[in-house]
Amino acid sequence: MSKIKHVILSGGVGSRLWPLSRKNQPKQYLNLFKEGSLFGMTIKRNQFLTDSLLVVGNKDNYKLSEETLDSMQVAHQQIIEAYPRNTAAAIAFAALASDPTDILLVTPSDHLIIGDEAYAEAITAGVDKARSGYLVTFGIQATKPETGYGYIEYEDDQVRSFREKPNQDTAESFLERGNFLWNSGMFCFRADTLLEELKLHAPNVYSAALKTWKSSHDGWLDGALSKEIPSISIDYAVMERSTKIRVVKTAFEWSDLGSFESLYDYLVDVGHPVDEFGNMSIGTTQYTAFVGLKDTILVSTADALLMVQKEKSQDVKHIYNILERHQSKLIE
């Protein structure tokens, strides 16, 4: 029987959660929850469903991963990217580091999932399909017309199409039609199946990733060779092109916590205070008064203050991008 390997992709920065999330302390390592960090929660959630753990990170955050893994005393392998080249390359490295028949359960490191039994059922279903030679994606039941997620159009376990982040009207139409799921960014497949499909549909990514992997040393990837790999997501490279795709419709609660709106919803659920107009402060114990404002989030850190209306929270990434262009220390 093939082994099941949990592959955690931990290279994200979480720019929409600035100023809480920074390059040197991305959102997946922040202890925002009573259970600890999202990274640690991801490890625990999958420990008893898989046989081994592989973390694909980068030179900026691998030590943060090591600290969590060591504190949890979890055996693991790490692949460290000098220059991250998106998820197609990261997953290719994981497959190249595995036995061909290994089943790879690929998950982000920064998602919030509630419902252990429903999660285990979904993973078991995904592993079964992966053993049959399919590339499996996991779809989340859409509960609102979310414009910050990609969507999967489906029928039974067949994927009819992948849709990019829609505008509000399109998202509402997806919800009304009822055959669209949120794209969770979680996948399951045999290592050799993924590499075969990557070689078929994105040969330039495959060849450059293989060359880089062959030159790696103790999990560290060469920077110059990494720069030659096209930066493309696994969705574009393989999932939207392959004929071997299947989807598992899940029943657990899920959030990518990719914005202050989703963090706000979580914090409200666990009892974080808001005023009578839905305003919330995060990161400060100082008395904070909101006058003439509604559904506004105040985020306070030692060196920055952010005020954002909840429904505009996706736009925080623009502030991060401006600071990045100016090489500001506020994102470090």
Side-chain angles (χ1 to χ4, degrees), residues 11-67:
V13 175
S15 59
R16 291 176 180 85
L17 287 184
W18 180 89
L20 294 181
S21 185
R22 312 285 183 103
K23 285 186 175 181
N24 293 324
Q25 193 72 26
K27 69 172 181 176
Q28 59 265 36
Y29 303 105
L30 298 174
N31 288 312
L32 296 173
F33 313 92
K34 62 181 180 181
E35 299 91 347
S37 68
L38 292 168
F39 182 79
M41 292 160 67
T42 303
I43 294 168
K44 290 177 184 177
R45 183 183 310 122
N46 293 280
Q47 260 184 314
F48 302 107
L49 301 173
T50 56
D51 301 303
S52 61
L53 173 63
L54 169 61
V55 179
V56 184
N58 59 56
K59 62 183 180 180
D60 294 324
N61 68 16
Y62 80 96
K63 288 185 178 179
L64 295 172
S65 295
E66 285 289 350
E67 289 173 7

Side-chain angles (χ1 to χ4, degrees), residues 88-139:
I91 293 172
F93 294 137
L96 291 166
S98 304
D99 291 334
T101 60
D102 282 349
I103 303 294
L104 306 185
L105 172 61
V106 181
T107 74
S109 61
D110 56 358
H111 291 184
L112 180 68
I113 290 174
I114 300 172
D116 292 343
E117 184 175 342
Y119 181 80
E121 289 176 359
I123 299 306
T124 299
V127 168
D128 287 345
K129 292 180 187 297
R131 285 201 170 107
S132 298
Y134 294 114
L135 304 178
V136 181
T137 184
F138 296 86

Side-chain angles (χ1 to χ4, degrees), residues 3 46 98 113 198 201 207 326:
K3 300 289 187 181
N46 293 280
S98 304
I113 290 174
L198 183 65
H201 297 290
S207 59
H326 288 85

Side-chain angles (χ1 to χ4, degrees), residues 3 9 19 30 47-48 60 80 92 94 150 156 171 189 193 196 234 249 254 261 283 291 309:
K3 300 289 187 181
L9 306 181
L30 298 174
Q47 260 184 314
F48 302 107
D60 294 324
I80 304 166
D156 297 323
F189 29 66
T193 304
E196 288 165 6
I234 194 67
K249 180 182 177 182
W254 172 92
E261 181 174 13
V291 179
Q309 287 187 314

